[in-house]
C-alpha cells in the first residue's frame, strides 16, 4: 500500500512539475510586447527613433554590448528623457535587449570591463578641443531631445550627456574607448583615430570622461510629490468678469488669446453646453516652440489654458501645474521651462482674481 501511494504521489508530483515547466515556458517574457509597451513610443516600433535615439542603427548596435543596453534600461538617464525602468524584472529587460538586437544583423560589441588609465589633464584638453562642441563643456550633452524641433531630420541622435550617472554606470571604459576609436557611422560621431589622435590620446579622453563620476553635477529631475497637479484660485467676481480678467491678465503676460469656449464643447450636444464652465486658450508662440523643442510630448498640455467654473454662485479659476506635469518627462531642461510656466500661470490666476 505504501509503495502504491508513493507511485501515485510521484505521478502527481511529475504532472505538477511538468505543468509548472509548461507554465514557465508559456510565461517567458515577450520581448516584442515589452518593447512595444515600454519603448516604442519614444524609439519607434521599428527602432528608427523619434524622441529617443534610433536603436536600429547598425553602427549603434555593433558598438554597444548587451550589458550596456541592459543597464541603460535599468538605470535610465537621470534628468534626460530616458527613464529608469525599475519595475521590469531582469528577465523582462533581457527579453527587450534580445528583441532590440533583432533590429539589425550585426554582432554585439565585444568589449571588456577593464578600466582604461590615462592622463586626465591631457584628456581634459583634448576633450575641450574635440568633444565639447557636441557633448558640452562639462559633458552635459546636446541641447534638447525633440526630434521635430531641436535637431535636423538628417541628424539621428542628440549628443548624449557623458556626465550622466546612468550613462557612466552603463558604459564601460572599453566601450567609450571603442566608440572614440571607431566613431559611429550614421551619426556625427567620428573616428578619433582618423582625426589623427593616438590610442594614448584616446585613453586620456576616456579617463577625463570617467572623472565626471566624481563631479558635483546633478541632473535630477524635479520631484512632483509636493507639487499640486492643479492650480486653483477663488474669484470674488462673477463668471463673465472673471473670464475677461483672465484674458486681460494673459495678454498682459505677453500671451495671445486663441479661443474661449465652453469646457464641454464637442462633448455635449451643440447648444446644450454648460455656460458655467469656460476654457480660455492662450499662447506665447516663442515659448511654445522652445518648450516643444525640449520634448514634443509636452504638447499634451499646450497651448496654455485656464478654466473658469461657477458652482453655487462661487467662481473658481484653475489650470494645470506645468511643474507637476514636467516630472513625468525626466527632463531637467524641461523642468526649468515648466518652472517658468508655473510662475506665469500663478501670476495670471492672481491677476484675474485680485
Amino acid at each position: 500500500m505504501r509503495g502504491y501511494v508513493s507511485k501515485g504521489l510521484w505521478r502527481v508530483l511529475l504532472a505538477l512539475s511538468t505543468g509548472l515547466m509548461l507554465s514557465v515556458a508559456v510565461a517567458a517574457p515577450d520581448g516584442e510586447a515589452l518593447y512595444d509597451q515600454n519603448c516604442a513610443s519614444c524609439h519607434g516600433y521599428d527602432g528608427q527613433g523619434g524622441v529617443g535615439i534610433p536603436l536600429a542603427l547598425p553602427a549603434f548596435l555593433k558598438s554597444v554590448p548587451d550589458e550596456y543596453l541592459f543597464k541603460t534600461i535599468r538605470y535610465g538617464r537621470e534628468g534626460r528623457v530616458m527613464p529608469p525602468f525599475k519595475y521590469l524584472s531582469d528577465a523582462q529587460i533581457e527579453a527587450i535587449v534580445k528583441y532590440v538586437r533583432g533590429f539589425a544583423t550585426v554582432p554585439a560589441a565585444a568589449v571588456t570591463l577593464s578600466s582604461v588609465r590615462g592622463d586626465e589633464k591631457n584628456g581634459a584638453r583634448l576633450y575641450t578641443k574635440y568633444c565639447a562642441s557636441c557633448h558640452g563643456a562639462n559633458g552635459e550633452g546636446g541641447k534638447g531631445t525633440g526630434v521635430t524641433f531641436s535637431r535636423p531630420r538628417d541628424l539621428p541622435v542628440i549628443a548624449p550627456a557623458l556626465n550622466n550617472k546612468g550613462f557612466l554606470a552603463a558604459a564601460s571604459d572599453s566601450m567609450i574607448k571603442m566608440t572614440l576609436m571607431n566613431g559611429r557611422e550614421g551619426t556625427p560621431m567620428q573616428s578619433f583615430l582618423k582625426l589623427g589622435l593616438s590610442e594614448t590620446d584616446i585613453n586620456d579622453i576616456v579617463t577625463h570622461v570617467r572623472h565626471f563620476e566624481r563631479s558635483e553635477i546633478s541632473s535630477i529631475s524635479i520631484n512632483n510629490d509636493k507639487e499640486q497637479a492643479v492650480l486653483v484660485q477663488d474669484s470674488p467676481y462673477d463668471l463673465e468678469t472673471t473670464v475677461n480678467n483672465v484674458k486681460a491678465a494673459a495678454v498682459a503676460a505677453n500671451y495671445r488669446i486663441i479661443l474661449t469656449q465652453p469646457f464641454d464643447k464637442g462633448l455635449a450636444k451643440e447648444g446644450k453646453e454648460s455656460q458655467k464652465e469656460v476654457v480660455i486658450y492662450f499662447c506665447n508662440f516663442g515659448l511654445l516652440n522652445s518648450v516643444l523643442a525640449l520634448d514634443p510630448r509636452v504638447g499634451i498640455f499646450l497651448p496654455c489654458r485656464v478654466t473658469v467654473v461657477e458652482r453655487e454662485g462661487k467662481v473658481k479659476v484653475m489650470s494645470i501645474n506645468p511643474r507637476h506635469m514636467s516630472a513625468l518627462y525626466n527632463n531637467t531642461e524641461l523642468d526649468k521651462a515648466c518652472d517658468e510656466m508655473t510662475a506665469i500661470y500663478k501670476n495670471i490666476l492672481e491677476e484675474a482674481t485680485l
Side-chain angles (χ1 to χ4, degrees):
M1 183 66 179
R2 181 179 296 175
Y4 175 78
V5 171
S6 297
K7 286 181 180 178
L9 181 60
W10 170 252
R11 286 171 181 156
V12 170
L13 290 173
L14 181 62
L16 287 174
S17 63
T18 303
L20 181 60
M21 289 173 66
L22 288 173
S23 66
V24 168
V26 170
D30 183 334
E32 180 176 4
L34 288 165
Y35 177 89
D36 289 350
Q37 182 179 356
N38 296 284
C39 317
S41 60
C42 289
H43 296 284
Y45 285 92
D46 53 2
Q48 295 298 321
V51 175
I53 65 170
L55 301 175
L57 198 66
F60 169 73
L61 286 175
K62 71 180 181 183
S63 64
V64 298
D66 286 354
E67 182 189 31
Y68 175 79
L69 295 174
F70 183 98
K71 288 184 176 178
T72 293
I73 297 170
R74 174 62 78 210
Y75 302 131
R77 294 288 183 270
E78 195 175 81
R80 305 283 283 188
V81 171
M82 178 70 185
F85 287 85
K86 297 177 181 177
Y87 59 86
L88 293 177
S89 69
D90 287 356
Q92 288 174 317
I93 294 179
E94 287 168 358
I96 293 174
V97 170
K98 186 177 180 180
Y99 179 72
V100 169
R101 281 286 169 210
F103 283 141
T105 54
V106 294
V111 299
T112 68
L113 298 179
S114 59
S115 299
V116 171
R117 295 182 181 275
D119 182 341
E120 186 177 321
K121 187 175 180 180
N122 187 49
R125 182 183 66 80
L126 294 171
Y127 177 90
T128 300
K129 183 176 180 179
Y130 292 98
C131 314
S133 61
C134 292
H135 293 281
N138 296 303
E140 63 271 26
K143 184 175 179 57
T145 50
V147 67
T148 306
F149 292 93
S150 63
R151 70 180 193 236
R153 289 183 182 276
D154 59 351
L155 183 63
V157 296
I158 294 290
L162 303 179
N163 67 5
N164 191 279
K165 292 180 180 177
F167 170 77
L168 291 168
S172 67
D173 288 359
S174 298
M175 191 197 106
I176 299 171
K177 178 178 178 178
M178 190 171 72
T179 302
L180 286 163
M181 293 179 71
N182 300 328
R184 191 164 287 173
E185 188 178 352
T187 79
M189 184 68 191
Q190 301 181 58
S191 162
F192 278 45
L193 289 178
K194 293 181 179 178
L195 290 175
L197 273 66
S198 67
E199 186 170 347
T200 299
D201 288 334
I202 290 173
N203 286 343
D204 295 345
I205 295 175
V206 173
T207 302
H208 175 67
V209 169
R210 188 56 68 186
H211 106 285
F212 288 136
E213 289 178 328
R214 305 192 301 272
S215 68
E216 298 295 327
I217 297 170
S218 174
S219 56
I220 298 176
S221 187
I222 59 175
N223 185 337
N224 69 348
D225 291 344
K226 297 181 181 178
E227 286 289 332
Q228 59 191 90
V230 180
L231 304 174
V232 183
Q233 194 90 14
D234 292 325
S235 173
Y237 307 106
D238 60 43
L239 185 137
E240 183 179 355
T241 303
T242 304
V243 168
N244 290 331
N245 287 350
V246 169
K247 292 179 180 178
V251 171
N254 204 28
Y255 282 79
R256 180 179 297 179
I257 304 300
I258 299 175
L259 185 65
T260 303
Q261 66 178 33
F263 180 81
D264 56 356
K265 185 176 177 58
L267 301 175
K269 185 178 289 185
E270 187 172 353
K272 299 292 185 181
E273 298 96 343
S274 172
Q275 300 304 309
K276 301 294 186 182
E277 299 172 348
V278 178
V279 184
I280 304 105
Y281 292 90
F282 50 93
C283 184
N284 177 319
F285 291 98
L287 177 64
L288 177 71
N289 280 328
S290 65
V291 174
L292 288 175
L294 297 175
D295 192 326
R297 295 175 300 174
V298 81
I300 64 171
F301 63 89
L302 292 173
C304 305
R305 73 204 69 165
V306 167
T307 302
V308 183
V309 176
E310 181 183 329
R311 291 279 189 277
E312 298 178 347
K314 295 182 179 179
V315 176
K316 291 182 180 293
V317 290
M318 58 192 74
S319 72
I320 63 163
N321 183 348
R323 183 181 174 86
H324 177 88
M325 298 292 290
S326 182
L328 301 174
Y329 297 91
N330 193 44
N331 187 333
T332 305
E333 288 182 276
L334 186 64
D335 292 344
K336 295 175 183 175
C338 285
D339 277 351
E340 295 176 14
M341 291 174 63
T342 294
I344 292 171
Y345 279 22
K346 286 181 177 178
N347 284 337
I348 290 175
L349 298 189
E350 289 173 2
E351 283 288 321
T353 57
L354 190 63

